[in-house]
Amino acid sequence: IVQRSRNRIISNIQDIVKIVKSSCADGSFQIVYLESLKAVEQVSLIHKSDIVILVHGGAMANLMFLSTH
C-alpha cells in the first residue's frame, strides 16, 4: 500500500489494511512512503510487488516497473 505523508493520502487506510490482511494468505504486505525512497529503491520495490494499492498521481508512473509474473 503506497501512502503519502502530505497530500493525496488514503483517508481510510485502516479499513484497507483490514481488508488486505484478511485477503492475504500469509499476511505479507507493507505500507510504504515512496517519497522517502530513492528512485532505484522505488523501482525495486514495485518490481517485486504482486499488488500495488495507491491513490492517483505521479506515483502511478512506477506501475510500469511491475513484474509480469
Side-chain angles (χ1 to χ4, degrees), residues 4-20:
R4 303 220 18 198
S5 59
R6 291 185 301 268
N7 52 11
R8 291 191 188 130
I9 62 169
I10 301 173
S11 59
N12 63 337
I13 189 83
Q14 296 308 320
D15 296 330
I16 294 172
V17 166
K18 278 196 262 185
I19 292 168
V20 171

Side-chain angles (χ1 to χ4, degrees), residues 9 20 34 37 58 64:
I9 62 169
V20 171
L34 291 180
L37 301 175
M64 73 174 115

Side-chain angles (χ1 to χ4, degrees), residues 30 32-43 45-46:
Q30 62 188 117
V32 296
Y33 294 84
L34 291 180
E35 67 260 26
S36 68
L37 301 175
K38 295 178 183 177
V40 69
E41 294 170 322
Q42 292 179 24
V43 169
L45 180 68
I46 297 297

Side-chain angles (χ1 to χ4, degrees), residues 24-55:
C24 291
D26 61 0
S28 64
F29 74 96
Q30 62 188 117
I31 297 172
V32 296
Y33 294 84
L34 291 180
E35 67 260 26
S36 68
L37 301 175
K38 295 178 183 177
V40 69
E41 294 170 322
Q42 292 179 24
V43 169
S44 176
L45 180 68
I46 297 297
H47 184 72
K48 292 187 279 186
S49 298
D50 293 319
I51 298 172
V52 178
I53 299 171
L54 52 84
V55 177

